[in-house]
Amino acid sequence: MRTGSEPTTARSALRLRFWLSAWGLIWAVFGTIAFALAGRPGWAIACGVLWLVITVDMTLILRHIRQGPHYQPGRDIPPYRPPDRP
């Protein structure tokens, strides 16, 4: 019996998130270079900041992928001890 409201088989699509981040990284790098060459420093900085955010996100995604699946208790084990009721 589970007392929590979370799904018992919830998983994040880490590989999909990685490939979407890779696609965004390609466009952020392209945008940074293109705007820098076009003489638009504001847009180049914006793309550079986006590039930094995407790189940090990809690092975290790869870390989670390398950690592997975590222990998930069975359906008969509640996620926390229910409060005692009188």
Side-chain angles (χ1 to χ4, degrees), residues 20-22 24-26 28 49-59:
L20 288 173
S21 292
L25 183 68
I26 291 169
V49 169
L50 184 61
W51 182 357
L52 178 66
V53 169
I54 293 170
T55 303
V56 170
D57 185 46
M58 285 183 74
T59 303

Side-chain angles (χ1 to χ4, degrees), residues 72-84:
Q72 295 291 319
R75 293 178 183 253
D76 56 340
I77 300 172
Y80 56 88
R81 184 174 177 87
D84 294 330

Side-chain angles (χ1 to χ4, degrees), residues 61-86:
I61 291 169
L62 286 174
R63 179 174 171 252
H64 286 282
I65 288 173
R66 287 188 181 125
Q67 283 179 345
H70 295 281
Y71 169 73
Q72 295 291 319
R75 293 178 183 253
D76 56 340
I77 300 172
Y80 56 88
R81 184 174 177 87
D84 294 330
R85 296 185 184 184

Side-chain angles (χ1 to χ4, degrees), residues 3-59:
T3 58
S5 61
E6 77 282 348
T8 58
T9 59
R11 297 286 188 267
S12 177
L14 291 175
R15 297 206 191 290
L16 177 64
R17 282 181 56 196
F18 173 78
W19 289 112
L20 288 173
S21 292
W23 181 250
L25 183 68
I26 291 169
W27 280 105
V29 170
F30 174 75
T32 303
I33 293 170
F35 284 122
L37 293 176
R40 302 283 192 163
W43 284 104
I45 291 171
C47 287
V49 169
L50 184 61
W51 182 357
L52 178 66
V53 169
I54 293 170
T55 303
V56 170
D57 185 46
M58 285 183 74
T59 303

